Amino acid sequence: MNLSLRNPSTATITAFKVIVFVLCLLPAANLVLGWQADALGANPIETITRASGEWTLRLLLITLAVTPLRRLSGLHWLLRLRRMLGLFVFAYAFAHLAIYLWLDQFFDWNAIALDILDRPFITVGFTAFVLLIPLAATSNSFAIRRLGGRRWQALHRSVYAIAIFAVVHFWWLVKADISRPLLYATILAVLLGLRGWWRELERRRQLSVPPPAKHLEKKMIRLVPRQ
Amino acid sequence: MLIKKPADILPSEITPQRLFERRREFISRSGTGLLAGAALWHGLPSSARATTKLQTAPSALSTTEPLSDRDAVTGYNNFYEFGTDKADPARNAHKMALRPWTVSVEGMVGKPRRFDIDELLRVAPLEERIYRLRCVEAWSMVVPWVGFPLAALLKQVEPLGSAKYVEFVTHYDPRIMIRDVIDWPYTEGLRLDEALHPLTLLAVGVYGETLPGQNGAPLRLVVPWKYGFKSAKSIVTIRLTDKEPATAWNKFAPSEYGFYSNVNPEVRHPRWSQATERRIGELRKRPTQMFNGYAEQVASLYQGMDLKKFY
């Protein structure tokens, strides 16, 4: 097993995947065990609803941190963890929604419909979940091949909107103490801000390449290599 | 290989069941550390001392519904001054010194007065009132409060004919309480007729003992037909006025928390459906009752009022 972090072997990357997989399962395991041991406080349904929601948001931010981390650290293999992280986001979001539909509302569809229409934080949270479905459904190599890289990437850019909706969902839910939603909003702003900033740098770099000699201007195709 | 059989546990070493069942309470009480433990031993800080038993008489106004778990009543609290997590108040409220404690009853009254907490305990015979408690967050409990009618206290100060409202100001100490989130001190208010209603209680205890800090010790309001936040905790001033008092949550979000805030399944709320509630300890939600089930006693207070407008 090659233990070099910069250029790990496939076996090392697999080992990392296993570790991340187990880590991602821990919050869920903690809630299941807590539920069985009756250790989730006076209002366990509220506890698991909150916890599953907050872990969805945390995992989403971790997923969005992969690209900046990779760029800043040069550890390009980090990208290979991203699909699994993204699918865990969906799994936690699904659990969060299922807890709400089943344990909180007991499939009282009238009440659920009213909630989605009447309560802005539920409207925006539900929207975020619906937008996650196509991303989860296309998180496989087959879908990338079928859609083609460019279209697949365009589709998956909707994760930025989803992340914003998710933070807004949390922000609108809290009654008064916005410290936690504010923390997540700040992290998201940094993650999206870095992307915006890098995009801007790239635009400037493209513009800064000197124009070709006058007599060649018409005939030449400009190819500016990407990094 | 010699396998030693462990000695039997001496009967004297077995913790009595009664104490064993209270082990968490013991640990949480010792949690304040050895220092507090030593001080407690010497009888110094009254706030750290355990709650004490109260003599009470039963009340015809009590519900017969099963009581919520004592751990839930004293461990799942909204008392934002001590933190916004439900478990925060039970962790932090011990920092509040409960003695000396005085309550000033003032404003539009004939005989304004400052009452010591020990005097307040003797204003009227203490009754146990088992009330439903409905939080605006759509959960509910059944709580055995101990207290006396607010009307008994107000009678002693002789409200003036011009008094229309009662304002409650609660204790605020920035050294031990959080500084932001909403405007402190927490204030609440009632119309005078609501304040004089026989259901309106000044509670000094719960579960037959003096109130723990997190439940609003040493003296709190309990208005069972209104959402829980109307029932101000740890009161220091009761002021009679002729203007509707500003109330803490109403100032924070006027569209969500009205002055009246009567439990009303018909009035929509942007965060929680008020049509149903979860009784703490139960899995499925139950329908919420108008005025939290006290309509027979209190509906007449609001005759002719549009309760969707005066929410």
Side-chain angles (χ1 to χ4, degrees):
Chain A
M1 204 157 85
N2 178 4
L3 282 174
S4 143
L5 261 184
R6 199 146 284 283
N7 202 4
S9 67
T10 313
T12 312
I13 291 176
T14 307
F16 271 116
K17 279 189 181 174
V18 171
I19 292 169
V20 171
F21 185 84
V22 171
L23 285 178
C24 286
L25 280 176
L26 286 182
N30 190 32
L31 290 176
V32 171
L33 293 177
W35 181 275
Q36 281 173 343
D38 196 12
L40 298 179
N43 196 346
I45 293 175
E46 178 188 68
T47 306
I48 58 171
T49 309
R50 293 266 168 100
S52 59
E54 206 163 338
W55 276 106
T56 306
L57 186 51
R58 286 175 186 155
L59 285 167
L60 181 52
L61 293 176
I62 291 171
T63 310
L64 284 174
V66 168
T67 295
L69 270 181
R70 178 179 147 233
R71 184 161 168 163
L72 291 171
S73 67
L75 305 176
H76 295 291
W77 57 271
L78 284 175
L79 189 61
R80 293 170 69 178
L81 300 173
R82 193 171 66 178
R83 179 186 293 169
M84 184 168 67
L85 287 168
L87 285 169
F88 265 113
V89 172
F90 183 74
Y92 274 87
F94 182 79
H96 181 59
L97 180 70
I99 290 164
Y100 163 75
L101 296 177
W102 177 28
L103 292 177
D104 196 46
Q105 299 288 357
F106 268 92
F107 305 113
D108 179 347
W109 298 111
N110 259 334
I112 291 163
L114 258 178
D115 259 359
I116 293 173
L117 296 174
D118 239 21
R119 275 167 260 292
F121 86 94
I122 296 185
T123 317
V124 70
F126 190 74
T127 308
F129 178 77
V130 170
L131 290 174
L132 267 181
I133 296 171
L135 304 199
T138 56
S139 284
N140 54 72
S141 311
F142 174 72
I144 298 175
R145 273 201 304 277
R146 235 190 108 163
L147 284 169
R150 200 168 272 277
R151 269 161 62 200
W152 184 88
Q153 205 174 26
L155 171 66
H156 278 248
R157 285 217 174 96
S158 65
V159 74
Y160 304 138
I162 292 168
I164 293 169
F165 289 165
V167 170
V168 170
H169 170 60
F170 190 21
W171 195 298
W172 283 350
L173 154 78
V174 300
K175 220 159 76 170
D177 183 5
I178 50 138
S179 53
R180 292 253 282 292
L182 184 64
L183 172 71
Y184 294 124
T186 309
I187 294 170
L188 180 62
V190 169
L191 293 176
L192 296 184
L194 277 174
R195 286 173 166 83
W197 171 241
W198 284 328
R199 223 185 142 95
E200 175 62 19
L201 286 184
E202 173 66 14
R203 195 182 68 86
R204 286 189 201 165
R205 197 182 65 81
Q206 301 261 354
L207 288 174
S208 69
V209 174
K214 256 249 142 76
H215 66 283
L216 291 174
E217 205 165 278
K218 288 275 154 59
K219 290 167 195 160
M220 193 175 129
I221 300 164
R222 286 179 66 195
L223 278 177
V224 181
R226 283 175 181 269
Q227 308 199 302
Chain B
M1 194 176 140
L2 179 70
I3 300 171
K4 281 188 182 165
K5 182 181 172 289
D8 283 324
I9 303 169
L10 290 171
S12 61
E13 284 178 7
I14 298 171
T15 311
Q17 190 188 353
R18 192 175 51 82
L19 289 179
F20 176 77
E21 282 166 0
R22 295 182 61 185
R23 66 201 183 278
R24 287 175 190 212
E25 204 180 318
F26 172 77
I27 291 165
S28 65
R29 278 190 190 154
S30 353
T32 41
L34 275 177
L35 206 69
L40 184 69
W41 188 254
H42 294 105
L44 287 174
S46 51
S47 59
R49 206 182 295 140
T51 52
T52 53
K53 270 239 156 342
L54 292 168
Q55 289 293 326
T56 67
S59 164
L61 294 168
S62 287
T63 168
T64 52
E65 289 165 77
L67 302 184
S68 295
D69 267 2
R70 188 180 182 146
D71 284 350
V73 170
T74 60
Y76 187 79
N77 308 96
N78 276 328
F79 196 160
Y80 272 20
E81 288 90 325
F82 288 116
T84 52
D85 190 90
K86 293 283 187 297
D88 284 341
R91 273 196 288 266
N92 299 324
H94 67 88
K95 296 175 199 157
M96 178 167 60
L98 300 180
R99 265 158 222 262
W101 191 285
T102 60
V103 179
S104 170
V105 188
E106 56 187 52
M108 298 180 146
V109 295
K111 294 178 174 171
R113 242 191 89 187
R114 188 174 279 279
F115 291 83
D116 185 77
I117 186 65
D118 291 308
E119 291 176 86
L120 286 166
L121 289 166
R122 293 188 303 264
V123 163
L126 296 181
E127 300 169 42
E128 181 171 75
R129 297 269 184 103
I130 303 169
Y131 282 164
R132 289 177 289 276
L133 169 81
R134 171 62 157 78
C135 178
V136 72
E137 296 163 357
W139 52 266
S140 63
M141 294 189 187
V142 178
V143 185
W145 300 110
V146 176
F148 56 89
L150 172 61
L153 177 66
L154 294 181
K155 207 178 287 169
Q156 294 203 357
V157 295
E158 297 173 8
L160 301 180
S162 49
K164 296 276 179 294
Y165 295 93
V166 186
E167 180 183 21
F168 303 87
V169 184
T170 76
H171 179 61
Y172 181 63
D173 180 352
R175 288 168 305 170
I176 55 164
M177 291 168 165
I178 58 178
R179 285 158 198 271
D180 32 40
V181 183
I182 67 170
D183 247 358
W184 312 116
Y186 192 88
T187 56
E188 255 309 334
L190 295 173
R191 232 168 47 189
L192 185 59
D193 58 343
E194 297 175 323
L196 293 173
H197 193 279
L199 279 172
T200 304
L201 194 73
L202 275 179
V204 295
V206 70
Y207 270 99
E209 297 186 0
T210 50
L211 287 170
Q214 63 269 28
N215 291 96
L219 180 87
R220 66 167 296 168
L221 185 65
V222 179
V223 193
W225 72 92
K226 292 177 181 280
Y227 294 120
F229 67 87
K230 291 295 292 179
S231 295
K233 298 184 174 85
S234 304
I235 293 168
V236 292
T237 306
I238 298 175
R239 189 179 297 128
L240 283 86
T241 78
D242 56 357
K243 283 183 213 56
E244 188 181 282
T247 61
W249 281 106
N250 180 255
K251 279 194 290 181
F252 181 79
S255 62
E256 291 185 41
Y257 313 103
F259 173 77
Y260 286 93
S261 287
N262 293 315
V263 175
N264 188 338
E266 307 286 314
V267 173
R268 286 178 179 181
H269 189 280
R271 259 171 252 277
W272 310 277
S273 162
Q274 303 300 4
T276 56
E277 66 199 51
R278 172 167 294 113
R279 183 68 51 89
I280 293 299
E282 294 177 0
L283 208 52
R284 300 205 54 165
K285 290 185 170 175
R286 52 169 74 207
T288 288
Q289 304 176 75
M290 188 65 201
F291 295 114
N292 200 22
Y294 297 97
E296 227 171 274
Q297 292 102 311
V298 301
S300 59
L301 293 172
Y302 309 101
Q303 217 136 41
M305 280 175 72
D306 178 358
L307 293 176
K308 285 191 175 151
K309 191 175 163 214
F310 297 99
Y311 55 92

